[in-house]
Amino acid sequence: MTHQNNAENPHISYQDSEYIRQIAFAVADAVGLHRGTPVYKRSVDLARTLLTECHRRCRPLDLAAMRHADTETVRQDLTTLRERFNMNDFTLPEGVTLNFEANPQQVAA
């Protein structure tokens, strides 16, 4: 399964942006980081950047499901993105799967 760069549609909706914000804060809170600290801010910023760029340019994500999912499962996807997502060309290697990749019917809707 080939995943194309989705750069021709670089915008995301306000709702998707809000889901990403909520996911990033929920994960940072769940791992015990203290709000207001530099490490908390870096964690939230990194999660937001990875989710936004993956969703916009690489593989659309089911953000609504991700928002309500178990934090550990969300962290697995964030770890995969941190380790494997190429921010220079917005790609993930072949064979890398994410728990919250949107199926084609969700993307078309």
Side-chain angles (χ1 to χ4, degrees):
M1 176 176 180
T2 302
H3 294 281
Q4 298 284 328
N5 183 316
N6 217 11
E8 69 276 359
N9 186 16
H11 302 287
I12 62 171
S13 70
Y14 172 81
Q15 186 65 59
D16 286 348
S17 181
E18 181 61 18
Y19 284 166
I20 289 169
R21 186 189 70 78
Q22 291 171 6
I23 293 162
F25 278 101
V27 170
D29 289 340
V31 298
L33 299 176
H34 298 289
R35 286 188 182 228
T37 62
V39 71
Y40 185 92
K41 183 180 181 335
R42 280 193 306 273
S43 175
V44 168
D45 288 348
L46 179 60
R48 289 178 78 172
T49 298
L50 290 170
L51 292 171
T52 299
E53 297 309 321
C54 179
H55 185 66
R56 286 177 357 149
R57 300 179 182 266
C58 182
R59 298 188 195 174
L61 301 168
D62 185 350
L63 297 168
M66 193 176 221
R67 188 171 143 243
H68 295 292
D70 173 72
T71 304
E72 190 53 40
T73 308
V74 175
R75 286 183 64 205
Q76 288 172 4
D77 275 5
L78 285 169
T79 298
T80 299
L81 289 173
R82 185 175 45 81
E83 293 174 351
R84 308 295 304 271
F85 185 58
N86 184 331
M87 290 290 285
N88 294 320
D89 63 4
F90 308 108
T91 59
L92 279 168
E94 287 293 324
V96 172
T97 59
L98 299 170
N99 296 306
F100 295 100
E101 283 186 55
N103 65 43
Q105 291 80 22
Q106 289 171 304
V107 174

